[in-house]
Amino acid sequence: HVTLHCGYPGNINSLLQQAGRAGRGATSTGPSFSIMVSFSSPSEQHLWKHPKGLLGRGLSPPPAVPLNSGIISGHLLCASAEWPLMGHTSVISILNVDPLDPSVTQLCDFDLFGSEAIYTDALENILERGHIRSEKINITSSQKVETFSIHPSIEKPWSRVSLRSIEPINYSIVDLSHPKQVGVDNVICEDAVLDRIPYSRVFYHAYPGAIIMHRGRRYKIHSMSSPPPFADSTVGYRFNACNLGAFAKPSSDRYSTRALSITLITIVKQLYRVKLPLDFASEGADISKDHDSCHASQEFVPVLTTGHLAGHGVVTVKRTVHGYTKLSLVNRSELSRTEITLPPMEYDTNALFIDTEASVLAELIPDYDKGVHALSHAIVAVAPLFVPCNSSDLDCDHSHYGCKHILLFDVRAGGAGTCSRLWNFFFHPDGILKAAIDLLSECPLDCDYGSYKGGCPGCIQAVPCINFQQDLSRNAGLIIAKRVLARIENTSLYKENCRIINSNI
């Protein structure tokens, strides 16, 4: 009659599926109920404080397939081995099928593989590499259509598409002490492989000098293969596989390690943009009542900025690990630092970006940059309430100087679709920004005191940070979040979503 849920399973569908096990017995005639125990993560603490929001949104939408040209290219290669690719032309045009038959679905390749733009990019990539070939066939006596089939030299194309990772490059962690590896660090023996790590994570976990754990045993990374200068995320299959490895030996060192890195993010393509109309009525926002360090007078209330507000698209992420720290196993205190030289890790991925009115607020709020950093942490912390994700799927720009916008990006090279799904929840009533404001408003430990404004591990410090949770201001982040929400509520996209929701009530 009762189900006990230890923590939030990640999405409402999973929670309801688990809760449905209560009362299934043949003799169960009375009511059943479910209990969920909330742990210390910000998302679960939010649900504990706002339980009505748990079931108020209804079922989560089905998981979105992360469609980009890199992923689709492998699927196109496999599809072309079974049937010619025909672009915008429906396949029934060359089959003996009545096109007027209502039971026949007339889908073309543009529909099946995401969109015309994604299909075209992926097709051009594999055509350029000579893995498919073009052929024109007759549909009617006067009409020809160009089709694309797999090249005869390509055998078993499905073996080139990985089921474990969507990234173009992966690293094998190799045990140099294995008898078949015999200490050689330029050749990989499959029997000596401990694990495989995606390209986007390897420099943070398996850099030279790093201590890693595998099945309860400690290993130390001694060397690693040099990656290519850029991870080509436009090809999602092993068209030219390079066997990269990080080579490790068993270690008895009594410390752990943590990477020191720098991240540079550049917006290269904007796919969608939301603007705030120039003629909307703005009464501004009172920033002085929320930020005691702001020296603006009570009378001065800056109006909300119009123009470009938000967008999502493609960014280039360039990460450089320049060293690591050795940490005590007893109290995690820093023992020493070591510098290392590694090539930068660079790849394209999906992202979303929201303007934070730097031209207005940077001079009014002394902790403005720290506030943007804190708000970015808060949004990532509550993101699992809206889309299934964790810190290995989504990250933010941790810059703490010269901030102009909030930038969230998919950690996986090529993008896993997390930002694309999260984008819609910024323009919904009681969306992700409202949840972030609640998180910033209610620090569980209320640990802000004196000059410290950085929150605690129960709120904005729950997100992994390359700056080690430094340069955060919860109060400044709250001010910026309220102004961003006020601007979003005046956009046509937000108003349209409100209209749709109200019409369905």
Side-chain angles (χ1 to χ4, degrees):
H1 297 289
V2 180
T3 56
L4 178 64
H5 309 265
C6 296
Y8 183 58
N11 61 75
I12 187 62
N13 296 357
S14 297
L15 180 65
L16 293 178
Q17 188 273 334
Q18 295 172 5
R21 298 172 184 173
R24 285 186 178 179
T27 60
S28 299
T29 57
S32 60
F33 63 98
S34 301
I35 302 172
M36 190 186 83
V37 179
S38 295
F39 293 138
S40 59
S41 69
S43 57
E44 294 186 28
Q45 286 298 304
H46 177 86
L47 291 175
W48 179 73
K49 295 173 183 176
H50 308 278
K52 291 183 179 179
L54 181 61
L55 302 177
R57 290 194 299 266
L59 291 175
S60 302
V65 179
L67 297 180
N68 57 56
S69 59
I71 296 175
I72 292 301
S73 59
H75 291 269
L76 284 182
L77 187 70
C78 295
S80 66
E82 298 181 4
W83 191 265
L85 303 175
M86 301 180 63
H88 62 83
T89 305
S90 175
V91 68
I92 67 170
S93 61
I94 59 174
L95 297 175
N96 188 21
V97 177
D98 182 8
L100 300 180
D101 186 350
S103 64
V104 177
T105 303
Q106 300 189 40
L107 292 177
C108 65
D109 289 338
F110 292 167
D111 302 319
L112 296 173
F113 294 99
S115 67
E116 180 179 357
I118 293 176
Y119 172 87
T120 303
D121 286 346
L123 186 69
E124 290 176 352
N125 287 331
I126 56 179
L127 184 62
E128 181 181 347
R129 289 169 173 82
H131 291 172
I132 58 175
R133 59 181 181 176
S134 173
E135 181 183 3
K136 291 187 177 182
I137 62 175
N138 293 322
I139 295 180
T140 63
S141 58
S142 59
Q143 183 182 5
K144 291 186 176 182
V145 62
E146 186 176 21
T147 64
F148 300 89
S149 302
I150 194 167
H151 195 275
S153 63
I154 305 297
E155 298 181 357
K156 298 181 179 179
W158 49 89
S159 65
R160 297 169 175 248
V161 181
S162 173
L163 297 179
R164 288 194 60 188
S165 174
I166 65 172
E167 299 196 23
I169 300 174
N170 292 276
Y171 269 77
S172 298
I173 308 299
V174 183
D175 182 6
L176 290 175
S177 65
H178 193 278
K180 293 186 178 181
Q181 189 66 30
V182 294
V184 179
D185 62 356
N186 56 4
V187 177
I188 297 176
C189 173
E190 285 298 320
D191 292 338
V193 173
L194 302 175
D195 199 359
R196 286 183 171 84
I197 298 181
Y199 176 68
S200 60
R201 293 171 49 201
V202 65
F203 283 1
Y204 283 90
H205 297 275
Y207 47 86
I211 300 295
I212 63 173
M213 295 286 292
H214 179 72
R215 295 183 177 178
R217 192 176 183 185
R218 302 173 67 81
Y219 290 84
K220 184 175 183 178
I221 303 295
H222 283 262
S223 62
M224 63 187 305
S225 306
S226 296
F230 184 81
D232 187 359
S233 302
T234 62
V235 181
Y237 61 94
R238 298 187 294 274
F239 73 96
N240 187 18
C242 51
N243 203 5
L244 302 181
F247 302 91
K249 290 182 179 179
S251 173
S252 59
D253 292 330
R254 304 304 299 169
Y255 61 83
S256 61
T257 55
R258 182 170 61 187
L260 301 172
S261 63
I262 299 173
T263 301
L264 177 64
I265 304 174
T266 305
I267 300 174
V268 296
K269 183 188 296 184
Q270 190 161 272
L271 302 177
Y272 193 81
R273 174 185 295 183
V274 173
K275 292 184 177 181
L276 196 61
L278 299 177
D279 57 349
F280 88 102
S282 170
E283 297 179 357
D286 188 352
I287 66 173
S288 57
K289 67 181 180 182
D290 290 317
H291 199 293
D292 53 11
S293 63
C294 178
H295 301 292
S297 66
Q298 292 282 352
E299 291 76 17
F300 177 68
V301 180
V303 298
L304 300 177
T305 307
T306 59
H308 175 67
L309 172 58
H312 74 78
V314 179
V315 298
T316 296
V317 178
K318 185 176 182 180
R319 288 177 162 176
T320 304
V321 175
H322 57 85
Y324 62 91
T325 61
K326 296 180 180 179
L327 305 176
S328 168
L329 294 179
V330 178
N331 56 10
R332 299 287 293 172
S333 61
E334 184 175 318
L335 303 177
S336 65
R337 293 195 176 198
T338 303
E339 291 187 1
I340 58 177
T341 302
L342 290 175
M345 176 174 58
E346 188 172 354
Y347 58 89
D348 285 347
T349 188
N350 296 332
L352 62 87
F353 18 90
I354 301 174
D355 177 70
T356 53
E357 299 180 286
S359 60
V360 175
L361 301 183
E363 296 182 357
L364 295 176
I365 306 177
D367 294 334
Y368 168 78
D369 291 333
K370 297 180 181 180
V372 175
H373 189 195
L375 178 55
S376 300
H377 274 223
I379 294 175
V380 174
V382 299
L385 294 172
F386 299 89
V387 298
C389 66
N390 55 41
S391 58
S392 64
D393 301 315
L394 183 70
D395 200 1
C396 62
D397 185 359
H398 296 280
S399 301
H400 55 279
Y401 179 78
C403 299
K404 295 183 179 179
H405 50 231
I406 299 163
L407 193 149
L408 309 180
F409 63 93
D410 290 353
V411 173
R412 310 291 184 185
T418 304
C419 282
S420 298
R421 295 189 64 194
L422 201 61
W423 165 262
N424 296 322
F425 291 102
F426 280 90
F427 300 91
H428 275 244
D430 296 323
I432 188 170
L433 261 177
K434 180 62 169 60
I437 290 173
D438 293 337
L439 179 65
L440 291 167
S441 303
E442 305 166 349
C443 178
L445 299 182
D446 195 21
C447 61
D448 290 0
Y449 55 88
S451 60
Y452 179 75
K453 305 294 182 183
C456 72
C459 57
I460 56 178
Q461 289 190 16
V463 178
C465 179
I466 63 174
N467 293 327
F468 310 130
Q469 313 299 342
Q470 301 298 313
D471 301 304
L472 295 167
S473 176
R474 190 167 62 92
N475 289 343
L478 182 59
I479 300 165
I480 297 169
K482 289 180 177 179
R483 290 183 63 90
V484 172
L485 181 59
R487 297 171 70 201
I488 284 179
E489 288 175 344
N490 283 280
T491 62
S492 58
L493 179 58
Y494 181 91
K495 294 177 180 178
E496 177 63 20
N497 287 333
C498 289
R499 187 192 64 79
I500 294 174
I501 292 173
N502 291 333
S503 65
N504 293 332
I505 296 178

